[in-house]
Amino acid sequence: EVQLVQSGAEVKKPGATVKISCKVSGYTFTDYYMHWVQQAPGKGLEWMGLVDPEDGETIYAEKFQGRVTITADTSTDTGNMELSSLRSEDTAVYYCATTGTGNWFDPWGQGTLVTVSS
Amino acid sequence: EIVMTQSPATLSVSPGERATLSCRASQSVSSNLAWYHQKPGQAPRLLIYGASTRATGIPARFSGSGSGTEFTLTISSLQSEDFAVYYCQQYNNWPPITFGQGTRLEIK
């Protein structure tokens, strides 16, 4: 069974950096992209970017470019998403997801709540 | 960027009845469209990809149709577990991958 298990909730102050991990199992990590999606409270889904674990190449959404860093650690089959210069608007649940053979997301991690508050 | 627009924002339907949800793309996405539902406190779950192919384990009461710019998700006979928020997503022209704003399906 394919599983993506994310790290736990975080509380950060404005200006800080948060790093969330996503450990995969049940498939070969380097076979498929890992994506990250943001969901603010009561809001919809917003794609942040992806990493190709095979070569580490990344693509970021324009909105997050310059503040987000997505990486893949093939030694632990873990993807990571780092968001810097946090502000209150970054309070959200962050999901990792893999896209398998197509560019639809399946499955998703369970989500990680990041709260940005002074 | 392709903008995805879902309608209606909220749909009230009785259990056992049919629900029809719409998704429109600002330009053609061919059949490169997926549908998800999301229950409170849970991650989204894939229902449909390729506009009309059910994902593994998804019941036959869920069906998707459409191509180009107009898409429909139909749930033929609503069960209690179907009341959730539904999102469409295009993966034809990216980056960025884009989602609709969601349709909340609630019990009437």
Side-chain angles (χ1 to χ4, degrees), chain A residues 14-109:
Chain A
T17 296
V18 69
K19 186 173 183 179
I20 303 168
S21 66
C22 175
K23 182 167 176 59
V24 313
S25 59
Y27 74 98
T28 302
F29 182 47
T30 51
D31 279 354
Y32 305 122
Y33 296 158
M34 175 174 282
H35 297 248
W36 289 84
V37 175
Q38 181 193 60
Q39 186 171 38
K43 302 297 185 183
L45 304 167
E46 185 153 20
W47 179 77
M48 299 178 71
L50 67 85
V51 62
D52 181 349
E54 185 165 45
D55 58 14
E57 281 206 20
T58 54
I59 301 175
Y60 298 130
E62 196 173 318
K63 173 180 176 178
F64 298 99
Q65 188 88 36
R67 287 206 303 139
V68 68
T69 304
I70 299 174
T71 58
D73 182 345
T74 56
S75 69
T76 58
D77 290 349
T78 300
N80 299 288
M81 188 280 292
E82 195 169 281
L83 189 62
S84 63
S85 303
L86 289 169
R87 39 211 189 219
S88 59
E89 310 89 87
D90 296 320
T91 293
V93 175
Y94 293 84
Y95 294 100
C96 59
T98 187
T99 45
T101 57
N103 288 314
W104 52 88
F105 300 115
D106 183 41
W108 299 60

Side-chain angles (χ1 to χ4, degrees), chain A residues 46 62, chain B residues 1-4 26-27 90 93 95-99:
Chain A
E46 185 153 20
E62 196 173 318
Chain B
E1 170 176 330
I2 295 180
V3 177
M4 307 301 292
S26 60
Q27 63 189 80
Q90 70 81 22
N93 281 17
I97 290 173
T98 51
F99 294 88

Side-chain angles (χ1 to χ4, degrees), chain A residues 39 50 95 103-105 109, chain B residues 36 38 42-43 87 89 91 94:
Chain A
Q39 186 171 38
L50 67 85
Y95 294 100
N103 288 314
W104 52 88
F105 300 115
Chain B
Y36 304 85
Q38 184 179 33
Q42 296 185 18
Y87 295 97
Q89 173 231 331
Y91 51 91
W94 66 280

